[in-house]
């Protein structure tokens, strides 16, 4: 059967379909358990959570499913040297964004306290809670952490945006590798070359990796239905990770306006931008995203830019100025059909099965 792949065996799931984890408070326990209970692998993006919050989430997931699930972290979670920037850089950013803050009638944010990486404390919780699967992006955890995962029976999943990154993940002994194509919604998880020069489409990246790497590959980016899953499997993937289509379902933690926008005409146009967080990510094109193309010098490093923009975002939401927000989403959004995660899973499985049955006739 098409669903009996190396990845479904390693991950302990019935169907080789992963619900992409969403950072930034967009994941939900309900979405994770719906997907896992339907035979896929639900995923929770936890990189902004405190260790205690991760424990709570993990316990809530364990209470709602006895199937495998995934918790996701960002290995590198800051680009700011010593967690901060110079006063001069901060003033430059304030000046660039002042017209938008003025438009919303709010003051400019003050320079925040230096940011401290959270990964080390977060990963300790992963090793303690032992979720069945631990996926990560923006780098590779230390050999010691990976060794402990293997010893504890936690399956590891790393993300690559280039062949070089996939080769490095394999040599580190990661159990499965995500081929993360540039169609995908959310951040580009590049960690060797700049994200701007790591923009390969999913189906090219998948084939490049397949030629050189033996570790099972999970295709991610631009897949939203059974035809997409079948195409990924035909090209050598062992599983598909689907983000935008699950983000658009009622069970995700995206706001109603975010989900509506993913189903609207606006979703035909997406942009890769650093303006909203400091790292390159794809969302539905908005006025601010368009205005700030090629203005990278005026942005703060991640995550200081996220903190800076959170003030603008809050006021824009309160005033319903949607053109000042970047609603995260991938290029595949215009083909989305389902608003319920269970129905989406069912339809993906049926469509993929139909496709492989058709090939036999
Ligand atoms: C809003 C959003 C947030 C995301 N956050 C994360 C994250 O924190 N960690 C991660 O590994 N992948 C993250 N992703 C990537 C997804 O897990 C998935 O790989 C990707 O969405 C697949 O491409 P698609 O959007 O075309 O389906 C995010 C994607 C979106 C849309």
């Amino acid at each position: 059967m098409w669903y009996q792949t190396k990845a479904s065996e390693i991950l302990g799931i019935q169907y080789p379909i992963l619900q992409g984890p969403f950072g930034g408070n967009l994941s939900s326990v309900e979405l994770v358990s719906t997907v896992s209970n339907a035979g896929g692998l639900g995923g929770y993006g936890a990189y902004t959570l405190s260790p205690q919050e991760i424990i709570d989430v993990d316990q809530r997931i364990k209470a709602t499913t006895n199937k495998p699930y995934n918790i996701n972290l960002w290995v590198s979670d800051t680009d700011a040297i010593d967690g901060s920037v110079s006063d001069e850089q901060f003033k430059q950013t304030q000046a660039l964004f002042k017209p938008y803050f003025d438009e919303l009638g709010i003051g400019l944010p003050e320079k925040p306290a230096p940011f401290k990486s959270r990964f080390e404390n977060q990963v300790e919780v992963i090793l303690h809670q032992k979720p069945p699967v631990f996926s990560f992006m923006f780098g590779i955890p230390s050999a010691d952490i990976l060794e402990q995962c293997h010893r504890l029976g936690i399956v590891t999943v790393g993300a690559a945006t280039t062949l070089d990154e996939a080769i490095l993940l394999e040599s580190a002994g990661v159990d499965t590798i995500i081929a993360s194509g540039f169609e995908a919604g959310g951040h580009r998880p590049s960690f060797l070359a700049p994200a701007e020069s790591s923009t390969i489409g999913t189906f090219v990246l998948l084939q490049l990796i397949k030629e050189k790497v033996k570790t099972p590959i999970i295709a991610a980016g631009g897949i939203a239905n059974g035809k997409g899953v079948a195409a990924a499997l035909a090209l050598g993937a062992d599983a598909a990770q689907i983000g935008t289509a699950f983000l658009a379902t009622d069970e995700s933690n995206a706001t109603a306006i975010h989900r509506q926008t993913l189903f609207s005409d606006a979703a035909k146009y997406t942009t890769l931008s650093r303006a909203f967080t400091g790292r390159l990510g794809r969302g539905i094109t908005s006025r601010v995203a368009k205005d700030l193309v090629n203005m990278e010098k005026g942005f703060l490093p991640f995550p200081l830019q996220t903190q800076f923009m959170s003030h603008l975002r809050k006021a824009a939401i309160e005033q319903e100025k949607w053109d000042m927000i970047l609603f995260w989403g991938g290029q595949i959004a215009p083909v989305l059909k389902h608003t319920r995660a269970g129905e989406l899973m069912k339809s993906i499985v049926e469509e993929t099965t139909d496709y492989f049955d058709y090939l036999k006739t």
Side-chain angles (χ1 to χ4, degrees):
M1 294 301 274
W2 64 268
Y3 48 82
Q4 287 163 342
T5 68
K6 273 192 252 166
S8 34
E9 193 187 321
I10 293 172
L11 297 165
I13 52 178
Q14 187 177 2
Y15 303 112
I17 296 164
L18 288 79
Q19 170 251 311
F22 309 123
N25 202 29
L26 292 165
S27 287
S28 82
V29 169
E30 192 188 355
L31 180 57
V32 173
S33 56
T34 303
V35 174
S36 288
N37 286 333
L41 188 80
Y44 199 106
Y47 87 92
T48 57
L49 302 189
S50 68
Q52 186 56 48
E53 286 168 332
I54 299 176
I55 294 175
D56 293 346
V57 161
D58 184 69
Q59 287 174 344
R60 280 164 52 219
I61 298 174
K62 284 190 168 91
T64 48
T65 184
N66 55 9
K67 299 275 173 60
Y69 62 90
N70 164 36
I71 295 191
N72 174 272
L73 294 178
W74 292 19
V75 178
S76 145
D77 61 356
T78 174
D79 297 330
I81 298 159
D82 296 328
S84 195
V85 284
S86 65
D87 290 347
E88 195 191 332
Q89 166 73 68
F90 197 76
K91 281 196 188 116
Q92 206 183 320
T93 306
Q94 284 183 319
L96 178 62
F97 285 89
K98 187 171 185 305
Y100 301 113
F101 283 80
D102 287 349
E103 192 180 325
L104 290 164
I106 55 167
L108 285 162
E110 295 296 320
K111 195 170 147 183
F115 177 84
K116 281 206 189 82
S117 170
R118 292 175 281 211
F119 178 71
E120 243 175 73
N121 292 335
Q122 292 170 326
V123 86
E124 259 181 43
V125 169
I126 297 289
L127 297 171
H128 181 262
Q129 293 300 112
K130 301 195 258 313
V133 181
F134 166 43
S135 78
F136 45 83
M137 66 173 190
F138 286 116
I140 309 178
S142 68
D144 174 51
I145 292 169
L146 290 177
E147 211 280 307
Q148 290 194 63
C149 288
H150 289 155
R151 203 162 36 78
L152 295 167
I154 303 169
V155 179
T156 54
V157 182
T161 61
T162 60
L163 173 59
D164 291 344
E165 290 174 353
I167 290 172
L168 215 58
L169 283 159
E170 177 165 80
S171 62
V174 167
D175 295 316
T176 56
I177 297 172
I178 295 181
S180 175
F182 91 136
E183 302 90 329
H187 288 96
R188 300 289 305 133
S190 306
F191 60 93
L192 286 182
E196 283 80 355
S197 52
S198 309
T199 48
I200 309 174
T202 303
F203 285 165
V204 172
L205 182 61
L206 170 58
Q207 292 174 83
L208 299 187
I209 299 177
K210 188 74 194 168
E211 284 228 326
K212 303 278 181 210
V213 160
K214 292 201 168 48
T215 308
I217 307 167
I218 300 162
I223 301 171
N225 50 38
K227 287 196 188 75
V229 172
L233 296 177
L235 289 173
D238 293 278
Q241 174 157 289
I242 296 174
T244 299
F246 280 112
L247 182 68
T249 62
D250 296 345
E251 288 84 350
S252 91
N253 208 28
T255 56
I257 181 74
H258 188 166
R259 285 181 276 117
Q260 279 161 27
T261 309
L262 287 167
F263 283 107
S264 76
D265 254 11
K268 287 192 289 191
Y269 310 102
T270 65
T271 306
L272 278 170
S273 173
R274 283 187 185 265
F276 299 84
T277 66
R279 283 188 176 169
L280 197 69
R282 187 179 294 285
I284 297 168
T285 308
S286 63
R287 172 169 61 102
V288 171
K290 265 196 275 193
D291 286 356
L292 296 171
V293 170
N294 296 328
M295 307 291 264
E296 281 74 12
K297 283 210 175 77
F299 306 159
L300 299 171
F302 180 86
L304 305 182
Q305 183 71 11
T306 319
Q307 291 173 1
F308 185 89
M309 293 300 273
S310 67
H311 301 266
L312 188 102
R313 185 183 164 81
K314 184 167 173 282
I317 290 172
E318 280 162 11
Q319 298 177 33
E320 301 193 356
K321 293 257 174 92
W322 309 127
D323 61 350
M324 297 178 93
I325 287 175
L326 189 81
F327 288 118
W328 300 110
Q331 292 180 329
I332 198 70
V335 312
L336 302 187
K337 293 196 173 52
H338 294 279
T339 55
R340 302 294 300 174
E343 282 164 23
L344 173 62
M345 258 309 279
K346 187 164 172 280
S347 132
I348 294 169
V349 169
E350 283 174 2
E351 207 180 358
T352 315
T353 304
D354 286 350
Y355 185 76
F356 283 104
D357 283 352
Y358 162 79
L359 289 185
K360 284 189 218 142
T361 58

